[in-house]
Amino acid sequence: MSQFRPQTADIAFTLEHVVGYPGIAKLPGFEHADLDTVVDLLEQCGEFMAQVVAPTNRAGDVQGARRESDGTVVTSPGFKEAYGQYVETGWGAVPLPEEFGGGDFPHTVGLAIQELMSTANVAFALCPLLTQGAIEALLHYGSDELKQRYLPKMVSGEWTGSMNLTEPHAGSDVGALTTRAVKRDDGSYAITGQKIYITYGDHDMAEQIVHLVLARLPGAPAGTKGISCFIVPKFLVNDDGSLGERNGVSALSLEHKLGIHGSPTCVLDYDGATGYLVGEENRGMQIMFVMMNTARVSVGMQAVGVSERAYQQSLDYAQTRRQGRAIGATERDSAIIDFPDVRRMLLTQKTYLAAARRLMLLNAVYVDQSTHNPDAAVRTRADEIAGLLTPICKAFGSDLGNELTSLALQIHGGMGFIEETGAAQHYRDVRIMAIYEGTNGIQAADLVGRKLGVRGGDSALEFLATMRGILAELADAGAEFDSIRHGLDAQLGALDTATDWMLRTGRADPNAVLSGSVPYLRMWGLCVGGWLLARSALAGAAAGDPQQAETQLVMARFYAQQLLPACAGLLGAATAGSSDLFALDVAQLSGAERSKVSSQR
């Protein structure tokens, strides 16, 4: 199994030349986060992840977290020690507020750190990611008392956080949850119920876990309108900040999973546990969406990280595995990297990874603009674009994760199907990412049901017009950019057609729009990726590095000619409507309908 090589060079190129990070460093509050400082910071972070975190990846898969007979949860070998060093070096605090001990760096920098950590060990990375989501919720909605009590040690990483939404009968339908919260005389609440699929719901890496739990108050409205959010700590916190007695929350069991074995996924039981209301009553979903929107882009970046690790391993294997004789070869056998189909799979991985990385970082840049730009109009527009891109980041990124880790396994041939090589781990680890934080079908529904209709569709149409603006630049750049320009022009046309159909059809037939939403989201991902790679190709030519320029140009050309055309192929599925999807009843779907011959007997 190959070692992880930090992908900081492409991250740095993307930040400087593609997504506009230098403009973020000029915003008020980010003066200390200039590009040179950030690149140096990311290089140090990459070294830490490669040396400390990456070696735990395989052990986490082979010997996952376990629950002992006394109910305690023990993480995989090396996790606790690596997490201790992670806290000591302060990587988790980099993008968090200085007020609570953070580094006050932009969100974009934090997302780049998440990629490096996910590439090193995604099962490990899930713990800091969820902690950061809990921190975001408290920053937006927590009282001053809750912030002062919990945030300093959560920002430092000494305490971790978890999200508690799902129940055995309430998965994506969060409004069906039944966990109860009853107010006590002292202002706290008694939380009773059971939650499942709680990532890092219990573990031994930190002394305290701060659970954010959705529960329902007596007499609350039905559905999502009657859900409130509560902090429920593993240990109660004394007035002096020290840890007190154990709270009434325990891990009943750990889930046995396809992948991410190093991450303890718990069934948690709340038996009258003491909780504290976050924000207002019955506003829990609004609070939880702060966590989930941040997490959704992070999940897309997780998939990029795992796919990068799989790509690096398949690239190494392709250079050392010798079999058959390539055309023109003089030796008895050739490295399989010399065969065209292996080259196709490698370049598909590399190019899609570059496109997805740029998409995630672009989203992060818009998030930073939406929170720190002094111009209110710029903040509003940036927030619109970040909202539009968020479901695309999560779904397109995690769908690619499934496809790219599969290609990496394919390059290994039969050895990819053998666990000892480690190629299968990436394939298994990434599979959950299309499911959690809202399935990709939910992301597509969000895109067509909420984001596409912003300002009557004008928000999305303006972004499409922005992407079309690059066509003139490509035309001026010379003949070697022609295939990129023609490919992008044609596929943006297909996306325009699909978008027009979605906007015309949505109100009259929402089921038809939802039926085409998944292929439609894929069309968006493909086009935004092609646009960003075209920007990369133009920037590479102007950067003064011939090798870098060639790399960016070849990737953009390969994408435009061989990957982007799938966009037009999805147009029919995106606009087909719902009639055929519902034409067959359950008996017909199962093949159980009786034949005419048998019915006549």
Side-chain angles (χ1 to χ4, degrees):
M1 190 172 182
S2 63
Q3 293 302 307
F4 154 51
R5 299 180 292 275
Q7 56 275 30
T8 47
D10 193 57
I11 293 173
F13 177 85
T14 301
L15 292 176
E16 181 175 7
H17 298 291
V18 185
V19 301
Y21 179 80
I24 298 300
K26 295 177 181 178
L27 295 177
F30 290 151
E31 296 86 354
H32 63 297
D34 61 275
L35 183 65
D36 288 342
T37 298
V38 166
V39 171
D40 183 60
L41 181 149
L42 292 175
E43 288 176 347
Q44 294 178 46
C45 181
E47 291 177 7
F48 174 85
M49 298 302 170
Q51 295 171 9
V52 177
V53 178
T56 66
N57 189 54
R58 187 64 176 152
D61 185 58
V62 174
Q63 185 176 331
R66 68 186 189 277
R67 180 181 178 274
E68 302 286 23
S69 59
D70 63 357
T72 59
V73 175
V74 178
T75 49
S76 301
F79 274 46
K80 183 176 181 179
E81 293 76 12
Y83 187 77
Q85 293 185 59
Y86 173 83
V87 172
E88 183 180 352
T89 49
W91 290 115
V94 169
L96 298 173
E98 185 179 13
E99 177 185 359
F100 299 105
D104 254 342
F105 275 76
H107 173 68
T108 304
V109 179
L111 191 64
I113 290 173
Q114 286 181 15
E115 183 191 352
L116 293 168
M117 183 162 45
S118 296
T119 312
N121 183 346
V122 72
F124 176 94
L126 282 166
C127 184
L129 184 149
L130 288 165
T131 302
Q132 186 168 328
I135 290 169
E136 293 283 347
L138 285 175
L139 285 171
H140 281 81
Y141 293 102
S143 66
D144 289 341
E145 180 183 356
L146 289 179
K147 289 178 182 178
Q148 293 300 326
R149 175 162 292 198
Y150 291 100
L151 284 181
K153 289 198 174 183
M154 293 178 74
V155 168
S156 71
E158 295 170 81
W159 295 356
T160 65
S162 79
M163 296 169 59
N164 287 239
L165 290 79
T166 308
E167 298 180 8
H169 57 283
S172 298
D173 183 12
V174 179
L177 66 81
T178 58
T179 296
R180 305 187 311 278
V182 178
K183 192 169 186 178
R184 294 169 172 158
D185 292 340
D186 64 359
S188 68
Y189 293 77
I191 311 296
T192 304
Q194 191 177 104
K195 299 289 185 178
I196 63 172
Y197 305 152
I198 308 305
T199 304
Y200 279 92
D202 197 25
H203 59 85
D204 61 350
M205 295 184 346
E207 63 179 4
Q208 169 77 302
I209 304 171
V210 181
H211 304 292
L212 262 68
V213 183
L214 293 187
R216 192 179 300 280
L217 292 162
T224 57
K225 293 182 179 180
I227 294 174
S228 300
C229 182
F230 302 87
I231 275 184
V232 184
K234 179 178 179 179
F235 292 94
L236 299 178
V237 180
N238 297 321
D239 291 339
D240 63 359
S242 64
L243 296 185
E245 64 183 35
R246 179 70 184 261
N247 205 354
V249 54
S250 59
L252 296 182
S253 63
L254 299 186
E255 306 290 0
H256 301 280
K257 300 173 295 185
L258 176 68
I260 54 170
H261 296 153
S263 165
T265 302
C266 303
V267 176
L268 292 184
D269 181 63
Y270 291 86
D271 185 13
T274 297
Y276 306 93
L277 182 67
V278 180
E280 300 175 12
E281 293 183 357
N282 303 326
R283 299 291 294 274
M285 285 304 297
Q286 181 179 353
I287 296 167
M288 197 59 69
F289 267 114
V290 170
M291 299 176 67
M292 291 188 72
N293 281 331
T294 299
R296 284 171 173 172
V297 180
S298 295
V299 169
M301 190 59 107
Q302 284 178 5
V304 171
V306 178
S307 301
E308 174 69 33
R309 185 77 177 263
Y311 166 65
Q312 291 183 14
Q313 182 169 337
S314 66
L315 177 60
D316 290 348
Y317 185 82
Q319 295 173 76
T320 58
R321 171 62 167 160
R322 305 189 71 84
Q323 182 171 290
R325 181 179 294 178
I327 293 174
T330 57
E331 299 181 11
R332 183 180 63 85
D333 55 11
S334 302
I336 62 172
I337 197 172
D338 293 331
F339 292 92
D341 189 54
V342 175
R343 284 285 182 145
R344 177 190 62 81
M345 289 188 282
L346 288 169
L347 197 52
T348 297
Q349 290 179 78
K350 180 178 178 63
T351 305
Y352 263 139
L353 278 167
R357 177 177 297 119
R358 284 150 178 72
L359 170 60
M360 307 302 159
L361 292 174
L362 179 71
N363 184 296
V365 163
Y366 278 119
V367 169
D368 283 324
Q369 289 283 5
S370 75
T371 57
H372 282 73
N373 197 292
D375 187 324
V378 174
R379 291 198 304 273
T380 298
R381 180 59 182 148
D383 187 62
E384 285 183 0
I385 297 174
L388 176 70
L389 294 179
T390 291
I392 300 168
C393 283
K394 196 278 183 181
F396 185 59
S398 56
D399 281 343
L400 284 181
N402 292 332
E403 297 167 22
L404 302 185
T405 55
S406 180
L407 284 177
L409 193 151
Q410 184 73 16
I411 288 171
H412 283 77
M415 293 303 294
F417 206 67
I418 304 300
E419 287 287 353
E420 284 77 3
T421 63
Q425 179 188 345
H426 311 309
Y427 185 62
R428 290 185 286 100
D429 282 353
V430 84
R431 187 60 188 86
I432 185 60
M433 293 166 199
I435 299 172
Y436 62 20
E437 301 303 342
T439 66
N440 286 358
I442 289 174
Q443 305 307 311
D446 178 47
L447 174 64
V448 301
R450 294 186 180 92
K451 307 305 171 54
L452 190 59
V454 171
R455 289 195 284 115
D458 286 346
S459 178
L461 294 174
E462 288 169 11
F463 191 73
L464 280 168
T466 297
M467 288 197 287
R468 279 201 167 276
I470 202 172
L471 298 176
E473 296 178 59
L474 292 168
D476 293 339
E480 59 186 352
F481 291 85
D482 281 351
S483 63
I484 303 171
R485 176 169 57 87
H486 292 313
L488 191 56
D489 187 21
Q491 302 312 317
L492 283 172
L495 181 57
D496 284 338
T497 300
T499 300
D500 178 68
W501 183 89
M502 290 281 172
L503 291 171
R504 285 188 290 105
T505 307
R507 291 186 179 179
D509 192 354
N511 224 31
V513 168
L514 289 171
S515 297
S517 60
V518 168
Y520 178 65
L521 184 149
R522 179 74 175 212
M523 294 175 74
W524 266 99
L526 287 165
C527 283
V528 176
W531 170 60
L532 291 170
L533 287 176
R535 289 174 67 166
S536 299
L538 291 169
D545 182 343
Q547 188 174 18
Q548 180 73 270
E550 181 183 26
T551 298
Q552 301 304 321
L553 178 61
V554 169
M555 285 198 300
R557 196 163 56 212
F558 176 83
Y559 190 97
Q561 294 176 336
Q562 300 197 36
L563 303 178
L564 186 56
C567 177
L570 292 167
L571 179 58
T575 60
S578 61
S579 58
D580 283 342
L581 296 185
F582 291 89
L584 303 182
D585 61 24
V586 174
Q588 290 172 296
L589 286 170
S590 66
E593 69 272 19
R594 299 175 67 192
S595 69
K596 290 183 179 180
V597 173
S598 63
S599 65
Q600 292 170 358
R601 291 177 179 172

